[in-house]
Amino acid sequence: MTTRFIGAALLGLALATPALADGTVNIYTTREPALIQPLLDSFTADTGIAAKVVFVKEGLAQRVETEGANSPADLLSVVDYGNLIELVDRGLTQPVDSAALNEAIPANLRDPAGNWFALSMRARVIYAAKDRVTDETLTYEDLADPRFKGEVCIRSGQHPYNTSLIAAMIAKDGVDATRTWLEGVKANLARKAGGGDRDVARDILANLCDVGIGNSYYVGLMRSGAGGEEQKAWGEAIRVILPTFKDKAGTHVNISGAAVAKNAPNRDNAVKLLEYLASEKAQEIYAKANFEYPVRPGVAADPIIAALGPLTVDPLPLTDIAKHRVEASELVDAVGFDG
Amino acid sequence: MQSASTAEAPPAAFNAAPSPVRRLLATDRRGFVFCLVVAGLALLPVAGLVSFAIGGGGRVWPSLIANVLPRAALTTATLLIGVALVAALVGIGTAFLVARCRFPGRSVFEWALLLPLAMPTYVMAYAWLDVIHPLGPLPTILRALLGIDDPRGLPLPELRSAGGAIFVIGLVLYPYVYLPVRALLLMRSAALGEAARTLGAGPLRIFFGVSLPTVWPAAALGLALVMLETLNDIGASEFLGIRTLTVAVYTTWTVRGSIEGASQIALAMLAIVVLVMALGRLARRNLPAQSGRTQRRTSERRLRPLGGSLAFGACALPILLGFGVPGSYLAGAALSRFMERGIPAGLLSAALNSVVLAGLTAAITVAAGLALAIAVRGARNPAVAPLAGVAGLGYAMPGTVLAVGLLVPVAALDNRIADLVRAMTGEAIGLVLIGSGAALLLALSLRFLTISARTLDAGLERISRSIDGAAQSLGASRRRIARDIHLPLLAPPLASAAILVFVDAMKELPATLLLRPLDFETLATSLYGEAARGTHEDGAMAALMIVLVGLAPVIALIRRR
C-alpha cells in the first residue's frame, strides 16, 4: 500500500517536469525572491513570457556547471561582481550583442564581449550616530582611527560586501597597509562582527556603537518604513556618509548583474528579459522597490537615496577588485577579524 | 547502526531451530542486496565530493591551517560538547521526571517537552537575538524596572558567542534525547532503583549507579543524533558568528570560490565523523545486552509540594526558553505583518510543498529504514551491518555538502537520460531528475535515513528473537514474520521515526535550496529568502507555519500513548 502510494507520488513528480515551452524564461538567481519578483511580474505582464525562478543562495555556479548541456537555466542573475566573473571564468555564459543593452548600460558596467551586464549598483556607506558623531565626511580608513575605539559595528568580515571593500583597499594600498587597517578596525569593534547591515543601524540607535558600515539600499528600506515602524526608527537614528578611500577618488560600489547561460534553451527570451531589466521601466523598479542605484543614465535614484548626496563612484576597475578577493578573504582570517 | 546480530548471542530457542531455517537465513540474499543498493546510493554524494576534491590542488590549505582550522576545530569541539551536555542534562533529567515522578502538570509536560523540536535552529537564533537585543522586549522591561536609561548601563550576555550558540542549538535538540530515554523508562521497571533504595542508597547514588546506566543506550542514540545535527548546523552558527568547521567549508566555497578546497575539507571532516562513529559502535558493543521484557508502569514517586514545584520548574524552563519565548516572539511578528499586509503571496503553496516533500521523505525513509533494520536483524552475512552503517552516511555530512556532492552524479545521469530521449524521439525533455524534484527527494531521504533506521533498529531490539525462532519453526516465512509479527509490534517506533524525519525535513534548508526545481518554494526556503534579505520579520509567518505544521504530529505522537 505504502509503496504503491510512493510510486504514484514519484511518478506524479516526474510527470510534473516543466516543459521547455517557447513562452518561458528560466532564471537562476542568488537574489532574494522579494527583490526580483516585482521585475519579473512586470516583464511577464508586458511580454506574456512566463518567468520561472529558482533562488539558489550558494552553489549557483556548481549547479549550472553540473547540469551541463541540458540545463534549463536561461538567465543567471547574481549579486557581486566577483560572482559574475566566476560564471564567465567557468565558461557558463555566452556573449550577447544587443544594441539596446550597449546603449542602456555604460561601458564600464558590462563585459566588452557581452558575457555579463550590471543591472544595479549599491554603495558601501558609513552609518554614523546622528546625535553623537559630528563628522560630515569620513574615509573608510577613519574606521581604524583610535578615536572610534569601542564604537564600530560591522557584519562579518567574510561577507562578500566586506571582502569586496577589503579587496579594493588591497588593490589601492597593498596587503600590508590593509592588514594594519583591518587590525585597527578590529580593535575598534564595539561587539563581535556579525549580523546584518541593518543591525548596525539598530545598534547605533541602542547606543551600542557610533559608527559602522552598511549598504546604501538598506537605508531606503529602513527609512521608507518598508520594514515596519521599528526599522524606521533605526534608519532615522543614523546619518549616512558617502565615504571615500583616503585618495578621495570616490565611494566603493558593488553591482548586481546577469548573464545569459551558455546552454540557454530559451536564449531569445533571456536576451529579451535582459533588455527589459535594462529598460527605463525596470531600472525605475530597481530604484523604487529596492532602493538601488540604477545603472541606466537618466534614471533617477529613489528620493530617499538621492537625499544621501551625490554619489561619486570610485573609479578603480571592478576587475582589479575581483583579482584580490581571495586575498581579502584570507586576510580576514589571518587578522581573526570575526573573532 | 547498531548491529543486533553482533550485540548479543541468539537466544537458545533460536539455536534450537531446525536446520532448514538456518539454510533459509543463509540463503536470504534480498536483505543483503537491499543494503548494498542503499549503501551505493549513500556513497553517491561522497563520490561527487571526491571528484571535486581531486580536481583541485592544495591551494586553500596553507592559509586554512595557519589561520582557520585550529580555531574552527576548537570552536566545533566546544560547540559539540556544550550542546551534548545541555541536551543530555535537559533530555535525561526531564525524561526521568515525567516518567518516574508524579507532580502537577506532568501530563502536559510529557508532550510539551517535545515542542522545541519544531523550531528550526536558525529561527531560534533570530528570535532570541531580537528578544535580548538592548532595544528588544526583555532588556527594555528590565531597564524600566531598574530605572536605567542608557542601554549600555545594562550589560547582557552576548548571544553571538559559543555559549549563545550552545544555548540556542541545545534547546532545539534536547528532545532527541528526551524522546528515546522517556520511551525506555516507560518500558523498563524501576525495580532496580527500588531495590537499591531499600538497601539504603541515596537518590544521587541510585541515579548515577543504577538509573543512568539503564537509560544510557537510549541516551547515546539521542546524543549521536544531537551531535550530528550540531555538526550540520550552518544557519544558527553563521548567524551568531560562530566560526565552526562547517562555516569554514562554506567560506572556502562561497567567498573564495573553491568548491575543490571545500570538498577537501568536507571529506576530511567526514572521515573524522565516520571514525568517531565507528569507535562509538565499538564502545556500545561492550554494553550488556538489554533484556527485551517490557513492563507496565511501576513505582512512580509522588513528589511532595517542594519537590513537585522544583520538578515543575525544571520541566517548564526548557519549554519556555525553547518554545515559549521564541514562539510568542514569532507569533507577535507574524501577527503584526499579517495586520499590515495579510498573507504573503505564495506562502500557502510553499506550505503545501513543504508538507508533500516532508511527507514523501518520511514515507521513503521509514520504508527503507525498516527494510534495513530487518535485514540487519536477520543477517547471517557479516557484510550487512557495515553496509547498513554506510547507508547512514548522508546524516554525517552537512546538508549542503551532501547536496553538492549529489549534484555531480545526478546531473550526469540526468544528461544521459535527456540525450537518450533526444536520440530516440527528438524531444528535448530537459533534466528530469532535478526538474521533477526527484533529486531533492533523494537527497533528503539519504540525509534522514539514519534517523529512521536507528529508531527502528532500537525498536526491533526490544522484540525478542525467540519469537522469530518460534515462528520460523512453525514454518513462517521471513516476509510473513516481518509483516505479521514485527510490523504490529513496531507501530510506536515507526510513528516516532516518521515524525522525527517529517519535522526535520520540514526544517531542512541547505539541500533544499540547492537542489529544488524551478518555481518550487518551501516554507524553509521562503523564510530563508526573507532572512537573507535582512527582513526576517517578513519570514515570521513562514517560520510560524513551519513550527505549527511540525507541532501537530509531535503532539499526536505523544498523546496517542
Side-chain angles (χ1 to χ4, degrees), chain A residues 260-337:
Chain A
V260 174
K262 181 165 178 248
N263 301 307
N266 308 296
R267 181 183 189 275
D268 294 352
N269 288 349
V271 175
K272 271 187 202 150
L273 177 55
L274 252 184
E275 288 172 350
Y276 173 81
L277 292 175
S279 71
E280 254 177 67
K281 186 172 176 184
Q283 287 288 304
E284 272 172 15
I285 297 180
Y286 273 116
K288 293 261 182 307
N290 301 350
F291 302 99
E292 296 181 81
Y293 288 102
V295 290
R296 191 187 177 106
V299 179
D302 184 90
I304 297 179
I305 299 299
L308 304 180
L311 173 74
T312 312
V313 177
D314 184 25
L316 181 72
L318 294 169
T319 37
D320 288 5
I321 298 176
K323 257 186 260 169
H324 296 287
R325 275 295 289 283
V326 173
E327 254 174 311
S329 168
E330 288 177 351
L331 196 56
V332 169
D333 280 338
V335 170
F337 189 81

Side-chain angles (χ1 to χ4, degrees), chain B residues 204-228:
Chain B
L204 279 180
R205 191 162 163 212
I206 294 174
F207 181 79
F208 286 105
V210 179
S211 311
L212 200 58
T214 314
V215 298
W216 186 244
L221 167 85
L223 283 173
L225 293 182
V226 165
M227 289 174 103
L228 288 175

Side-chain angles (χ1 to χ4, degrees), chain B residues 35 51 60 68 72 79-80 82 84 168 237 277 286 297 304 314 328 331 352 379 388 392 416 430 462 472 478 487:
Chain B
C35 288
S51 79
V60 297
V68 182
L79 194 65
L80 282 173
V168 163
S237 27
M277 282 164 70
N286 303 330
R297 269 193 188 200
R304 296 202 185 92
S328 52
L352 185 68
R416 283 283 158 77
R462 299 208 194 102
Q472 267 166 348
R478 293 264 325 262
L487 214 50

Side-chain angles (χ1 to χ4, degrees), chain B residues 44-254:
Chain B
L44 278 182
V46 182
L49 288 181
V50 170
S51 79
F52 279 131
I54 54 181
R59 211 205 80 73
V60 297
W61 287 91
S63 134
L64 282 173
I65 288 171
N67 303 320
V68 182
L69 293 181
R71 243 171 117 176
L74 190 68
T75 307
T76 306
T78 311
L79 194 65
L80 282 173
I81 293 166
V83 171
L85 281 175
V86 170
L89 188 76
V90 177
I92 297 174
T94 53
F96 262 98
L97 286 173
V98 300
R100 288 282 151 85
C101 307
R102 255 188 292 174
F103 56 96
R106 183 187 73 171
S107 55
V108 173
F109 288 137
E110 277 191 315
W111 58 267
L113 276 162
L114 283 173
L115 294 180
L117 193 62
M119 282 276 168
T121 48
Y122 47 97
V123 173
M124 275 278 275
Y126 299 150
W128 269 104
L129 261 179
D130 270 8
V131 168
I132 67 165
H133 188 271
L135 299 176
L138 196 69
T140 308
I141 294 167
L142 277 177
R143 280 201 309 273
L145 290 174
L146 299 169
I148 300 170
D149 285 337
D150 181 4
R152 285 197 198 195
L154 180 73
L156 282 158
E158 175 60 88
L159 200 66
R160 289 194 184 104
S161 63
I166 288 169
F167 169 80
V168 163
I169 299 173
L171 276 177
V172 172
L173 297 180
Y174 79 82
Y176 279 120
V177 178
Y178 166 80
L179 195 65
V181 172
R182 174 180 164 272
L184 190 78
L185 285 171
L186 291 183
M187 298 187 73
R188 291 209 191 288
S189 96
L192 279 176
E194 299 296 320
R197 196 152 43 146
T198 54
L199 293 170
L204 279 180
R205 191 162 163 212
I206 294 174
F207 181 79
F208 286 105
V210 179
S211 311
L212 200 58
T214 314
V215 298
W216 186 244
L221 167 85
L223 283 173
L225 293 182
V226 165
M227 289 174 103
L228 288 175
E229 283 280 348
T230 307
L231 204 56
N232 267 305
D233 177 79
I234 179 81
S237 27
E238 198 183 28
F239 195 73
L240 297 175
I242 309 299
R243 315 268 303 135
T244 60
L245 286 168
T246 313
V247 174
V249 171
Y250 265 70
T251 307
T252 304
W253 177 28
T254 57

Side-chain angles (χ1 to χ4, degrees), chain B residues 205-529:
Chain B
R205 191 162 163 212
I206 294 174
F207 181 79
F208 286 105
V210 179
S211 311
L212 200 58
T214 314
V215 298
W216 186 244
L221 167 85
L223 283 173
L225 293 182
V226 165
M227 289 174 103
L228 288 175
E229 283 280 348
T230 307
L231 204 56
N232 267 305
D233 177 79
I234 179 81
S237 27
E238 198 183 28
F239 195 73
L240 297 175
I242 309 299
R243 315 268 303 135
T244 60
L245 286 168
T246 313
V247 174
V249 171
Y250 265 70
T251 307
T252 304
W253 177 28
T254 57
V255 184
R256 299 183 192 172
S258 174
I259 184 69
E260 297 79 13
S263 302
Q264 290 165 357
I265 315 173
L267 283 170
M269 273 176 73
L270 184 65
I272 294 169
V273 170
V274 169
L275 188 73
V276 170
M277 282 164 70
L279 288 175
R281 184 152 312 138
L282 285 178
R284 272 214 302 274
R285 256 186 212 189
N286 303 330
L287 284 172
Q290 295 290 334
S291 82
R293 271 180 316 176
T294 57
Q295 309 260 351
R296 55 187 177 77
R297 269 193 188 200
T298 47
S299 59
E300 289 176 352
R301 297 181 61 181
R302 182 187 290 281
L303 296 176
R304 296 202 185 92
L306 176 66
S309 334
L310 286 176
F312 184 94
C315 290
L317 194 65
I319 301 169
L320 181 74
L321 297 180
F323 184 78
V325 171
S328 52
Y329 167 83
L330 277 184
L335 190 68
S336 72
R337 290 282 128 178
F338 177 73
M339 293 300 191
E340 274 176 43
R341 302 193 206 143
I343 300 228
L347 191 66
L348 293 176
S349 71
L352 185 68
N353 287 342
S354 276
V355 171
V356 170
L357 188 65
L360 283 173
T361 305
I364 292 172
T365 47
V366 167
L370 184 64
L372 272 181
I374 288 178
V376 169
R377 179 179 169 96
R380 283 307 172 104
N381 186 329
V384 166
L387 279 178
V390 171
L393 269 186
Y395 200 59
M397 54 182 119
T400 307
V401 171
L402 168 83
V404 176
L406 201 60
L407 254 180
V408 182
V410 167
L413 181 62
D414 242 346
N415 274 302
R416 283 283 158 77
I417 297 171
D419 294 342
L420 195 69
V421 171
R422 186 176 300 137
M424 282 163 53
T425 66
E427 289 284 317
I429 56 164
L431 301 175
V432 179
L433 294 176
I434 298 175
S436 66
L440 173 57
L441 197 56
L442 175 64
L444 293 186
S445 303
L446 285 176
R447 172 126 180 66
F448 298 127
L449 180 59
T450 296
I451 297 185
S452 100
R454 284 183 183 214
T455 310
L456 293 169
D457 191 48
L460 268 177
E461 281 288 277
R462 299 208 194 102
I463 301 172
S464 163
R465 286 165 173 267
S466 36
I467 297 183
D468 301 29
Q472 267 166 348
S473 63
L474 295 169
S477 66
R478 293 264 325 262
R479 177 188 292 225
R480 191 167 164 208
I481 293 173
R483 194 187 62 203
D484 293 348
I485 299 174
H486 292 165
L487 214 50
L489 286 172
L490 275 178
L494 275 172
S496 296
I499 282 165
L500 282 177
V501 172
F502 181 85
V503 173
D504 235 353
M506 282 287 295
K507 298 194 290 187
E508 206 287 334
L509 185 62
T512 311
L513 264 181
L514 188 65
L515 287 174
R516 72 212 153 106
L518 282 155
D519 266 356
F520 184 90
E521 292 279 349
T522 66
L523 288 172
T525 60
S526 55
L527 163 65
Y528 182 75

